[in-house]
Amino acid sequence: MHKIKVEDKEFEIFLENDTLNKRIRLLGIQINVDYEGKCPLFIGVLNGSFLFMADLIKEIDVPCEVAFMRVASYEGTSSSGKVKELIGLPENIEGRDIIIIEDIVDTGLTLSHIIKTLKEQKPASIKASALLLKPSALKHEIEELEYVGFEIPNEFVVGYGLDYNGLGRNLTDIYRATEG
Ligand code: IMP
């Protein structure tokens, strides 16, 4: 088993880049079908979504725009439960078809907060895509979460944009924390 260390923590290989890309290609096809004739605005939630956004957007062939925003709400390996300020929210999303791009949905607090805030600006529609979802950690049902890459167990993962204490975002594959 391919193991790595990020700072003080040991991780083992979980989802290889090839597996990620195959799934992302399918998500792209689904979005292309659903948004035919429209011009969606993809809003990536930084920092974790940057690689997922880059790969997903290359699969999109309807006209589209891309923006990024930021939320600071997470430290270490367990969700703090507190959503802080949303930074860099795009202006003028009234009447737009919005697709929020998240790296991972854990409790769902971050994404539901973003959706609630964006809805105040009256977009025509709002959907979300997350590369990873931990269904057993979910505390907030999110009906807008339409495009999920992989449902995973409630384990801490790192790589492909996801970090552990700021590190590991550059890893091409996704790794999960080994026990102990
Ligand atoms: P939520 O608000 O609990 O859904 O947390 C969402 C955010 O927590 C994600 O955007 C990530 O930044 C972070 N997060 C949750 N689980 C993990 C993980 O396993 N690895 C790295 N970051 C995570």
Side-chain angles (χ1 to χ4, degrees):
M1 182 65 78
H2 181 40
K3 287 190 177 166
I4 57 158
K5 212 159 183 198
V6 179
E7 212 172 50
D8 57 340
K9 211 168 171 55
E10 196 178 64
F11 292 85
E12 62 188 16
I13 189 82
F14 182 40
L15 295 164
E16 287 183 24
N17 190 262
D18 189 45
T19 308
L20 299 175
N21 268 312
K22 282 190 180 124
R23 182 70 188 117
I24 291 169
R25 228 167 280 147
L26 292 177
L27 289 178
I29 291 169
Q30 214 182 327
I31 292 172
N32 287 331
V33 170
D34 292 352
Y35 287 82
E36 203 188 329
K38 295 184 174 163
C39 178
L41 168 61
F42 290 84
I43 303 177
V45 183
L46 290 173
N47 292 329
S49 72
F50 73 110
L51 289 180
F52 176 39
M53 173 72 103
D55 285 337
L56 179 65
I57 209 72
K58 286 182 267 183
E59 303 297 331
I60 301 303
D61 54 26
V62 296
C64 62
E65 290 180 53
V66 176
F68 287 94
M69 55 170 286
R70 220 189 138 93
V71 188
S73 67
Y74 203 83
E75 275 167 17
T77 56
S78 68
S79 187
S80 66
K82 281 177 253 151
V83 171
K84 295 175 196 154
E85 210 188 338
L86 306 189
I87 304 155
L89 270 183
E91 291 163 20
N92 278 332
I93 62 163
E94 192 177 335
R96 297 298 306 269
D97 294 301
I98 305 297
I99 307 175
I100 299 164
I101 304 296
E102 263 278 27
D103 51 355
I104 185 165
V105 173
D106 188 5
T107 63
L109 189 69
T110 309
L111 184 57
S112 58
H113 185 66
I114 292 169
I115 290 170
K116 193 167 142 254
T117 309
L118 289 180
K119 273 185 174 168
E120 288 164 11
Q121 292 189 47
K122 301 196 170 30
S125 70
I126 183 157
K127 295 282 179 201
S129 174
L131 179 64
L132 306 175
L133 169 67
K134 295 180 183 172
S136 62
L138 204 59
K139 291 191 190 137
H140 302 256
E141 237 2 273
I142 306 173
E143 61 181 40
E144 293 85 354
L145 185 54
E146 185 104 4
Y147 309 103
V148 173
F150 301 88
E151 294 195 354
I152 65 166
N154 197 3
E155 294 170 331
F156 192 77
V157 291
V158 75
Y160 193 72
L162 291 144
D163 76 303
Y164 170 58
N165 287 342
L167 298 172
R169 296 192 196 276
N170 54 313
L171 297 164
T172 314
D173 307 313
I174 292 181
Y175 294 77
R176 69 171 159 214
T178 56
E179 315 241 345

